[in-house]
């Protein structure tokens, strides 16, 4: 009984970890430091972009916040900001850590300081929570890739190379090998650059049909062909007999439901699961067909390219983002992992059709979704209150019809009985699938070819998560589309080479000499 | 959706969502973990939309897609059986039942075929090999 009790207790405790982690992050000195940094940046009028612009296969994506891009919404945003200040003030009063010791009055300056603190706290809370919400899918993708690499030997066997990397690495001299790998990386990167530019051009000239067809074909390829190969290899590894009939049925189901979930409508969790799976499949293909030095070089160069493409004013991805901003559209939702449905506080809640479409789907498909999207933005009259909040208000104050007059009256009221709940999924963070793919390529390659094996794998995994954390922090500070690859890949590469060539031999020697430190 | 719908929808959905949300809030309070999952998303969708989705998933499943039926059952189970009654719920319930039925049928068929195949594959000789996608190594 004791054992089970303690097990249960530890399980419950671990379930609280993510919540407590969030709380812990908020309360550490990190917060104090960031408060200092953020005082400069906090009073932006409106949150900015909601986009990430991936490439079809080699998706250098950025991470962004979900928010609105339209000018007509800015007023709503300001209203929302005011509301949030009010909310947060009310929350502050109940908060024992409040700097004014829960006293509602005080000089105006103090109140403004309050707002600063609250905004920063809110922003940090947003960051911590969404860090965790992105940790899970990234971890899952990496786990799938590493598990496959470790068990299915197909993906570590050398069976030729892609046409994008024509130079072989089985050369006689090291110099030749280096040269070949540099050439391979150069070719691959130029292919990626060309495809990105092509995508931007197509998008600029509104060739939505072409883009849509391109995406459909690539998802079809991934969902049917690659998963067919994957399944075949897994069955061969586990020495299981499988007949064509069952196989056809399974692949057909997997593929069609995947297409429906990704490109149309489906449960969010299922869509996320499918996106993780296709990222893992793509990463496995890369791990199999990229020779070693080429792979590391490509990872390094692609993070530099990501940095340039997203942050430079003339970078293709930045232009893509800005074009989408001008047109008030989201970009290629089929290639973006969204950590939540876009239930924005400032977004029009009354048009769930278009809203879901904004978060998931084919805005580029036809003009009508775009129109719906913009009308979605301009027609809302719910003052920027999320439905959650409205439901809560109804619960606390009783059902009543919200008219502009009543709303104005309510806004003037002081804190009142309505306790603002945490707004848990107020904004989601989007991460492009390219980021998933390249993170998994790094970790997969580390597990496949490192002499340090598990040490190196876990070190790279931790490095990538740290990089992701930092990137999200920067995202919370700067509130614009940021490249997610550079920091993580840099840390990952540094950790890989350091662990493989410094730490692992050291540990081996320690173990060899039975010297415990 | 047009402007007037926008005005009414929040109220209607707030009324609808309030009770369901109450349940979620209750659970969330008891377990202060991450916020509730994707079930919440269906709360934001109008009832006609839900019915439409359910129907489309149900009809789609006839294209040899028992997985789609499974998704239908799991996704709309709460809507059909656990949510407070609303107008379209009856139809959604019907679709969920029928999807579940189809799913059970497919499960039975598939299980029996797989069992038959795995047991008799070696005995069938050439036919067994012809049907096999992967043939295990070693002595059967």
């Amino acid at each position: 009984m004791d054992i089970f009790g303690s097990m249960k207790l530890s399980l419950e405790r671990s379930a609280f970890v993510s919540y407590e982690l969030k709380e812990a992050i908020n309360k550490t000195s990190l917060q104090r430091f960031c408060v200092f940094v953020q005082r400069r940046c906090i009073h932006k009028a409106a949150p900015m972009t909601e986009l990430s612009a991936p490439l079809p296969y080699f998706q250098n994506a950025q991470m962004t916040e979900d928010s609105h891009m339209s000018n007509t919404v800015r007023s709503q945003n300001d209203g929302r900001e005011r509301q949030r200040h009010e909310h947060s003030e009310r929350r502050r009063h109940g908060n024992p850590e409040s700097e004014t010791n829960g006293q509602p009055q005080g000089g105006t300056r103090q109140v403004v300081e309050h707002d600063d603190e609250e905004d920063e706290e809110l922003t940090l809370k947003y960051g911590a929570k969404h860090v965790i919400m992105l940790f899970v899918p990234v971890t899952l993708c990496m786990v799938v890739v590493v598990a496959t690499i470790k068990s299915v030997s197909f993906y570590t066997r050398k069976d030729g190379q892609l046409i994008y990397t024509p130079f072989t690495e089985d050369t006689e001299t090291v110099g030749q090998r280096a040269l070949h790998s540099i050439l391979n990386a150069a070719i691959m990167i130029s292919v990626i650059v060309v495809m990105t530019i092509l995508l931007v051009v197509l998008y600029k000239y509104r060739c939505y049909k072409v883009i849509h067809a391109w995406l459909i074909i690539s998802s079809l390829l991934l969902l049917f062909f690659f998963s067919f190969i994957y399944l075949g290899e897994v069955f061969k590894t586990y020495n299981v007999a499988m007949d064509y009939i069952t196989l056809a049925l399974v692949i057909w189901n997997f593929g069609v439901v995947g297409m429906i979930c990704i490109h149309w409508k489906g449960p969010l969790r299922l869509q996320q699961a499918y996106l993780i799976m296709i990222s893992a499949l793509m990463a496995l293909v890369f791990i199999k067909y990229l020779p070693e030095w080429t792979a590391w070089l490509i990872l390094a160069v692609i993070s530099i390219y990501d940095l340039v493409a997203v942050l430079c004013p003339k970078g293709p991805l930045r232009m893509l983002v800005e074009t989408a901003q001008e047109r008030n559209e989201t970009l290629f939702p089929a290639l973006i992992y969204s950590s939540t449905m876009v239930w924005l506080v400032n977004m029009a809640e009354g048009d769930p059709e278009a809203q879901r479409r904004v978060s998931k789907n084919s805005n580029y498909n036809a003009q009508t979704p775009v129109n719906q999207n913009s009308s979605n933005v301009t027609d809302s009259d719910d003052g920027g209150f999320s439905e959650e909040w409205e439901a809560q208000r109804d619960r606390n104050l009783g059902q009543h019809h919200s008219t502009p007059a009543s709303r104005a009256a309510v806004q003037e009221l002081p804190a009142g009985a309505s306790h603002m709940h945490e707004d848990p999924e107020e904004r989601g963070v989007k991460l492009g699938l390219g980021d998933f793919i390249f993170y998994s390529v790094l970790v997969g390659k580390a597990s496949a070819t490192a002499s340090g094996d598990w040490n190196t794998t876990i070190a790279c995994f931790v490095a990538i998560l740290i990089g992701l954390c930092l990137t999200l922090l920067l995202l919370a500070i700067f509130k614009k589309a940021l490249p997610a690859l550079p920091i993580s890949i840099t840390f990952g590469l540094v950790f890989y080479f350091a662990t493989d060539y410094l730490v692992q031999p050291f540990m081996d020697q320690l173990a060899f000499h039975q010297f415990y430190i | 959706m047009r402007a007037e719908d926008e005005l009414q929808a929040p109220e209607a959905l707030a009324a609808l969502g309030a009770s369901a949300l109450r349940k979620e809030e209750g659970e969330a309070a008891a377990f202060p973990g991450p916020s509730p999952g994707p079930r919440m998303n269906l709360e934001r969708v109008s009832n006609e939309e839900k019915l439409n989705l359910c129907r489309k998933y149900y009809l789609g499943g006839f294209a040899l897609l028992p997985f789609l039926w499974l998704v239908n059952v799991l996704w709309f189970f709460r809507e059909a059986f656990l949510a407070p009654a609303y107008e379209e719920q009856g139809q959604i319930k019907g679709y969920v039942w029928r999807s579940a039925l189809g799913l059970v049928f497919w499960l039975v068929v598939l299980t029996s075929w797989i069992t038959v195949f795995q047991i008799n594959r070696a005995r069938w000789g050439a036919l067994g090999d012809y049907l096999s996608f992967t043939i295990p190594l070693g002595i059967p």
Side-chain angles (χ1 to χ4, degrees), chain A residues 74-360:
Chain A
R74 261 161 229 257
S75 52
Q76 284 188 9
N77 284 351
D78 288 337
R80 181 181 65 79
E81 293 281 333
R82 252 179 285 121
Q83 282 302 317
R84 287 180 86 204
H85 289 185
E86 291 179 46
H87 298 183
S88 41
E89 271 192 75
R90 290 172 208 152
R91 207 173 337 135
R92 258 297 184 172
H93 294 319
N95 187 347
E97 293 176 73
S98 157
E99 285 178 3
T100 60
N101 297 327
Q103 286 164 13
Q105 54 278 54
T108 353
R109 203 169 47 92
Q110 216 169 9
V111 173
V112 170
E113 290 282 314
H114 243 218
D115 288 348
D116 274 351
E117 293 280 337
E118 261 321 306
D119 259 345
E120 285 139 9
E121 198 179 290
L122 281 171
T123 311
L124 281 179
K125 275 200 176 118
Y126 152 82
K129 181 176 181 64
H130 289 85
V131 164
I132 293 166
M133 270 156 65
L134 277 184
F135 271 9
V136 173
V138 171
T139 311
L140 273 176
C141 192
M142 288 196 244
V143 160
V144 168
V145 168
V146 170
T148 310
I149 295 273
K150 289 293 184 193
S151 54
V152 180
S153 61
F154 173 73
Y155 288 103
T156 39
R157 216 162 50 217
K158 202 144 171 46
D159 282 338
Q161 296 180 206
L162 296 171
I163 54 162
Y164 302 115
T165 53
F167 296 97
T168 175
E169 277 194 18
D170 289 330
T171 56
E172 287 138 13
T173 68
V174 173
Q176 241 182 338
R177 184 176 189 184
L179 180 66
H180 282 187
S181 55
I182 291 176
L183 288 172
N184 278 338
I187 294 177
M188 186 70 127
I189 293 295
S190 30
V191 167
I192 292 175
V193 170
V194 163
M195 293 228 273
T196 324
I197 295 182
L198 184 65
L199 192 71
V200 173
V201 162
L202 281 176
Y203 190 71
K204 241 183 155 66
Y205 292 108
R206 299 180 188 265
C207 306
Y208 295 132
K209 295 274 185 208
V210 179
I211 298 178
H212 199 205
W214 189 359
L215 287 176
I216 296 255
I217 291 177
S218 66
S219 344
L220 279 173
L221 187 72
L222 275 171
L223 281 171
F224 287 98
F225 184 56
F226 286 170
S227 56
F228 169 73
I229 293 180
Y230 179 79
L231 221 54
E233 292 307 321
V234 166
F235 288 141
K236 281 184 205 154
T237 305
Y238 290 106
N239 217 19
V240 169
M242 178 54 59
D243 57 306
Y244 279 114
I245 301 173
T246 320
L247 181 77
L249 197 66
V250 167
I251 297 281
W252 171 246
N253 271 274
F254 180 75
V256 171
V257 177
M259 291 300 287
I260 290 178
C261 271
I262 296 176
H263 292 276
W264 192 54
K265 300 175 204 168
L268 180 69
R269 287 285 182 242
L270 194 62
Q271 187 202 22
Q272 291 172 336
Y274 267 107
L275 290 174
I276 293 176
M277 281 190 268
I278 66 177
S279 309
L281 283 173
M282 197 71 216
L284 284 169
V285 167
F286 275 141
I287 294 174
K288 178 173 174 63
Y289 289 111
L290 285 180
E292 279 199 48
W293 290 18
T294 311
W296 299 119
L297 264 179
I298 285 182
L299 278 172
V301 178
I302 219 172
S303 39
I304 299 176
Y305 170 68
D306 200 20
L307 198 63
V308 163
V310 174
L311 294 179
C312 284
K314 276 302 170 192
L317 293 181
R318 179 157 173 163
M319 282 171 52
L320 197 61
V321 157
E322 280 167 5
T323 318
Q325 219 173 337
E326 286 165 31
R327 297 182 195 169
N328 293 333
E329 293 169 5
T330 49
L331 291 167
F332 316 122
L335 291 175
I336 301 175
Y337 179 95
S338 140
S339 60
T340 178
M341 285 291 243
V342 182
W343 302 121
L344 301 176
V345 177
N346 61 341
M347 214 166 149
E349 302 295 336
D351 193 350
E353 173 92 330
Q355 187 168 11
R356 191 137 31 102
R357 236 180 286 202
V358 163
S359 84
K360 287 208 297 187

Side-chain angles (χ1 to χ4, degrees), chain A residues 12 15-16 18-20 129 133 228 231-233 235-236 239-247 249-250 252-254 256-258 260-261 264-270 274 340-341 343 348-353 355-356 360 372 375-376 379-382 386-388 390-395 399-403 407 421 424-425, chain B residues 1-19 21-22 25-26 29-46 49-50 52-53 56-57 60-61 63-69 71-72 74-75 106 110 113-114 117-118 121 128-138:
Chain A
E12 282 168 19
F16 285 106
S18 66
Y19 174 74
E20 284 175 350
K129 181 176 181 64
M133 270 156 65
F228 169 73
L231 221 54
E233 292 307 321
F235 288 141
K236 281 184 205 154
N239 217 19
V240 169
M242 178 54 59
D243 57 306
Y244 279 114
I245 301 173
T246 320
L247 181 77
L249 197 66
V250 167
W252 171 246
N253 271 274
F254 180 75
V256 171
V257 177
I260 290 178
C261 271
W264 192 54
K265 300 175 204 168
L268 180 69
R269 287 285 182 242
L270 194 62
Y274 267 107
T340 178
M341 285 291 243
W343 302 121
E349 302 295 336
D351 193 350
E353 173 92 330
Q355 187 168 11
R356 191 137 31 102
K360 287 208 297 187
Q372 278 194 0
S375 73
N376 176 27
D379 286 349
S380 96
D381 193 16
D382 59 354
S386 75
E387 241 141 53
E388 268 178 333
E390 284 196 282
Q392 180 130 35
R393 174 200 72 191
D394 287 338
R395 189 158 37 115
Q399 289 271 4
H400 63 279
H401 287 295
S402 169
T403 65
R407 256 179 262 155
H421 65 109
E425 299 200 276
Chain B
M1 294 280 224
R2 316 310 85 102
E4 19 340 323
D5 291 350
E6 307 264 344
L7 277 178
Q8 290 163 14
E11 264 77 44
L13 276 166
L16 163 68
S19 50
L21 265 170
R22 211 170 291 138
E25 296 290 276
F31 177 79
S35 30
R39 303 292 161 86
M40 288 281 278
N41 301 323
L42 271 187
E43 310 293 344
R44 315 303 180 107
V45 170
S46 74
E49 268 310 303
K50 280 184 230 179
N52 210 13
L53 260 177
K56 291 214 172 106
Y57 269 62
L64 304 181
L65 289 171
F67 191 28
L68 204 57
W69 276 335
V71 171
N72 202 12
L74 290 177
W75 197 19
W106 267 108
L110 212 55
W113 162 247
I114 290 177
F117 178 76
Q118 293 290 339
R121 181 188 54 85
D129 287 348
Y130 178 66
L131 279 175
S132 296
F133 169 55
T134 50
I135 303 176
L137 308 167

